[in-house]
Amino acid sequence: MATTQQRTTVQGGAVRSVLVQSAGFSSAQDIHAALRRQGKPVGLSTVYRHLQSLVEQGVADVIQSPDGEATYRYCGETTSAHHHHLVCRKCGHTEEVTAPAIERWAAQIASKFDFSDVDHTVEIFGTCAPCRKGSAQSAAKS
Amino acid sequence: MATTQQRTTVQGGAVRSVLVQSAGFSSAQDIHAALRRQGKPVGLSTVYRHLQSLVEQGVADVIQSPDGEATYRYCGETTSAHHHHLVCRKCGHTEEVTAPAIERWAAQIASKFDFSDVDHTVEIFGTCAPCRKGSAQSAAKS
DNA sequence: CTGGTTAGTGGGAGTGATTGTCGTTAGCGT
DNA sequence: ACGCTAACGACAATCACTCCCACTAACCAG
Ligand SMILES: [Mn+2]
Ligand SMILES: [Mn+2]
Ligand SMILES: [Zn+2]
Ligand SMILES: [Zn+2]
């Protein structure tokens, strides 16, 4: 009897691969374009499908860019523990950070106001050193 | 000679008014609908325009809802100091919180990785006590 | 008060990301 | 190989949000 119910497809691998190799956060459209550029075009719908799936699996995380576009970033299984990001708003370079203190604080605040099923988002934006010096944009998207 | 360059209009007041009276975060569309319901319809473009303006003035803040819709919330001038939110994901009820510790932490992380022009977003989501008990949604939107 | 200047308005078209549809492909267990 | 059906992908459809631009109404000088 079946057990898989989860077929492995080339497209799935391709999408994941592009995401893994990208430096910062990239949009579905970026990834779709990258795939096409690499000569292995994948349908846009498929890109979205895999991206969602990766997010559900906790392999990637999404954040809504300030202009409302969803951007995805790979979070290695090694790094997959709960964490936050320090993102350069120019080049997208991202540093992953953890802060037990913050987690503790969030939980404390939540209980203080009697909220349950707590969750939170913490993102820090800034300009990284390289971008600050020369406006010499380093490598943007892959 | 002119000095104003900022006319006071009924529409502007109406938009602001609706925003002020709303409990949690509401989308531009919500506000547009509320105004129509109140019998003082305001063009959608105008609603967006005022909302942006309020944000620039720091009178309101925006956060991108998980499904990518921009939602706005009034931040009284009294409360206008930098702060964060604890939002009920069911009824939208929001508590404003401040946390010097977090601010300090953010600054520290930023300098550690040599990032400048730092800014950050911290939002906590959960289910408030009322919503947790009865699934008796309290007052949703205005 | 009144006319002129022009910020502000709003209906409608345009944009662009994301989702839905559904006939066609291609994993994979048998 | 074979068949069942998950996964594709081209294209249509949504939908929040922005543009455009003729029109309205603040507001200031006279
Ligand atoms: Mn991450
Ligand atoms: Mn606030
Ligand atoms: Zn940078
Ligand atoms: Zn609630």
Side-chain angles (χ1 to χ4, degrees):
Chain A
M1 198 183 291
T3 38
T4 320
Q5 215 65 322
Q6 172 72 311
R7 301 180 184 173
T8 311
T9 68
V10 280
Q11 292 87 339
V15 170
R16 180 176 178 127
S17 154
V18 171
L19 189 64
V20 171
Q21 301 177 328
S22 299
F25 283 87
S26 15
S27 70
Q29 309 278 342
D30 287 340
I31 293 179
H32 178 248
L35 286 166
R36 171 171 300 180
R37 207 177 311 126
Q38 277 178 40
K40 0 176 176 170
V42 173
L44 186 54
S45 318
T46 303
V47 171
Y48 275 104
R49 251 183 318 246
H50 281 287
L51 248 17
Q52 290 179 297
S53 153
L54 288 171
V55 170
E56 281 162 18
Q57 292 171 48
V59 176
D61 39 49
V62 220
I63 87 171
Q64 298 290 337
S65 76
D67 54 296
E69 192 179 15
T71 53
Y72 306 79
R73 179 173 191 292
Y74 180 70
C75 277
E77 357 313 85
T78 54
T79 336
S80 70
H82 178 73
H83 61 271
H84 300 289
H85 304 114
L86 171 59
V87 188
C88 171
R89 58 169 85 76
K90 289 194 178 170
C91 70
H93 173 68
T94 304
E95 294 288 349
E96 306 204 311
V97 299
T98 58
I102 302 300
E103 310 303 325
R104 222 172 301 124
W105 170 79
Q108 184 185 109
I109 290 291
S111 73
K112 171 177 173 186
F113 288 98
D114 200 16
F115 272 57
S116 56
D117 306 310
V118 185
D119 191 7
H120 62 265
T121 62
V122 175
E123 298 286 335
I124 307 181
F125 299 95
T127 306
C128 71
C131 285
R132 188 178 337 128
K133 311 204 163 160
S135 53
Q137 260 77 342
S138 44
K141 298 297 160 58
S142 67
Chain B
M1 197 185 292
T3 39
T4 321
Q5 215 63 319
Q6 172 74 311
R7 301 181 186 175
T8 312
T9 68
V10 281
Q11 293 87 338
V15 170
R16 180 176 178 128
S17 155
V18 171
L19 190 64
V20 171
Q21 300 177 329
S22 299
F25 282 88
S26 13
S27 70
Q29 309 277 342
D30 287 340
I31 293 179
H32 178 247
L35 285 167
R36 172 171 302 179
R37 207 178 310 126
Q38 278 178 40
K40 1 177 176 167
V42 173
L44 185 56
S45 318
T46 303
V47 172
Y48 275 105
R49 231 177 273 140
H50 281 287
L51 249 17
Q52 290 178 294
S53 153
L54 289 172
V55 170
E56 281 161 18
Q57 293 171 47
V59 176
D61 38 51
V62 220
I63 86 172
Q64 298 290 336
S65 77
D67 52 297
E69 194 179 12
T71 54
Y72 306 79
R73 181 174 189 290
Y74 180 71
C75 277
E77 0 310 85
T78 55
T79 336
S80 71
H82 178 72
H83 60 273
H84 301 291
H85 304 113
L86 171 59
V87 187
C88 171
R89 58 170 85 76
K90 288 193 178 170
C91 70
H93 173 68
T94 304
E95 294 288 348
E96 307 205 310
V97 298
T98 58
I102 302 301
E103 311 303 326
R104 222 172 301 124
W105 169 78
Q108 184 185 106
I109 291 292
S111 73
K112 172 176 172 186
F113 289 98
D114 200 16
F115 272 57
S116 57
D117 304 311
V118 184
D119 190 7
H120 63 265
T121 62
V122 175
E123 298 286 334
I124 308 181
F125 298 95
T127 305
C128 71
C131 285
R132 186 176 339 126
K133 311 204 162 160
S135 55
Q137 260 77 342
S138 44
K141 298 298 160 58
S142 70

